[in-house]
Structures are given as structure tokens and as C-alpha cells.
Amino acid sequence: MKREEKFYLIRSDILPESIAKTIEAKKLLEAGEVDTVNEAVERVGLSRSAFYKYKDGIFPFNAMMSEKIMTITFSLEHRSGYLSKVLQYVAEQGGNVLTINQTIPLQGIANISMSVDMAHLKVSSTEFLEGLQEINGVRKAMIVGRG
């Protein structure tokens, strides 16, 4: 039986010192300021065993959220129902639209920027984009960012 993971949002000022130092060591490694775990733990004053005990269970809140978000931009013909087809496609693929911004159509084309929660996407981001481009009225779609 798989154990359910639980997550908590905790203010950093109440974290035990070893967890706070593990976070700092991970930041040093991710930023490339140090090359090895040994260097990172020495710099922050933490034992290697404490680092390895906590490292896989600590994530910055914004990192956990951004890893599942993809921002897409595309041009769409300005015709009734075309945006609805795009939104239906996103839903069918398991995506969830977080934000959508559409410009006023010029010469029959609207530019759209859309952020999608892809945590439950049924296909890869590449397949998702290819499917989006196959929708009638969608032109030049591309991923502009993802976590």
C-alpha cells in the first residue's frame, strides 16, 4: 500500500536549523557556487548525513508550483468558436488553463498567451503543442516558458 504524501507550508523562521541549512546547501549547488555536496555542507556548516536525510523532501514553494506550468503563445484566426475549440483541446488533454490573454484581433488574427497547469497532461508537452497546431484556425504556436 502506497503511503500518501502530505505537504505543509511552513514559515522559514520556524524551521529547525538542519533543515534551513539543507535548503541553503541546495541553493549553493543549484546556483553552481559549489561543485560538490561536500563543499556545500562545509560552507553552511551542516553534516553530510543531515543533508542527505532532508534533501529529497525540501522544495521551495514556488518551485513546486512552477514545475507544472507551461506558457504557450499562438496566433488564432478571429472566427466564432475557434478559441472554444482550443480550450476544449486543452481540457481533453488533461490541461487546466490558469491564465489567458488575448489581444484585439488585427487583420483577422488574435495573439493569445495562455498558461496551462500540465500536472495531469496525458501527452508530452511536444505532443500537446503539435496537437494544438493541428486545430483549425491556430497558427504558429510555441512554448515560451515552463517550470
Side-chain angles (χ1 to χ4, degrees), residues 4 26 69 92 111:
E4 181 182 335
K26 285 181 70 169
I69 298 172
E92 287 171 353
N111 292 311

Side-chain angles (χ1 to χ4, degrees), residues 62 74 105 144:
N62 59 346
F74 57 95
V144 293

Side-chain angles (χ1 to χ4, degrees), residues 53-64:
K53 179 179 180 180
Y54 297 120
K55 76 172 183 72
D56 293 329
I58 299 171
F59 310 97
F61 178 72
N62 59 346
M64 290 193 66

Side-chain angles (χ1 to χ4, degrees), residues 91-146:
E92 287 171 353
Q93 299 307 313
N96 184 26
V97 175
L98 301 172
T99 64
I100 188 165
N101 187 3
Q102 178 179 334
T103 63
I104 295 174
L106 297 174
Q107 299 174 348
I109 301 291
N111 292 311
I112 298 171
S113 175
M114 183 168 56
S115 294
V116 178
D117 179 347
M118 52 188 252
H120 302 289
L121 214 55
K122 298 174 184 175
V123 295
S124 72
S125 55
T126 302
E127 291 170 315
F128 180 82
L129 188 65
E130 289 170 353
L132 181 64
Q133 291 176 333
E134 291 175 7
I135 298 171
N136 193 21
V138 173
R139 299 184 183 177
K140 194 179 175 184
M142 63 185 205
I143 297 171
V144 293
R146 65 179 129 188

Side-chain angles (χ1 to χ4, degrees), residues 62-95:
N62 59 346
M64 290 193 66
M65 294 306 290
S66 67
E67 289 178 5
K68 300 176 183 176
I69 298 172
M70 176 171 47
T71 302
I72 304 161
T73 185
F74 57 95
S75 300
L76 184 66
E77 292 178 25
H78 182 59
R79 295 198 181 173
S80 181
Y82 278 17
L83 181 57
S84 179
K85 289 179 185 179
V86 169
L87 297 175
Q88 181 179 353
Y89 169 77
V90 172
E92 287 171 353
Q93 299 307 313

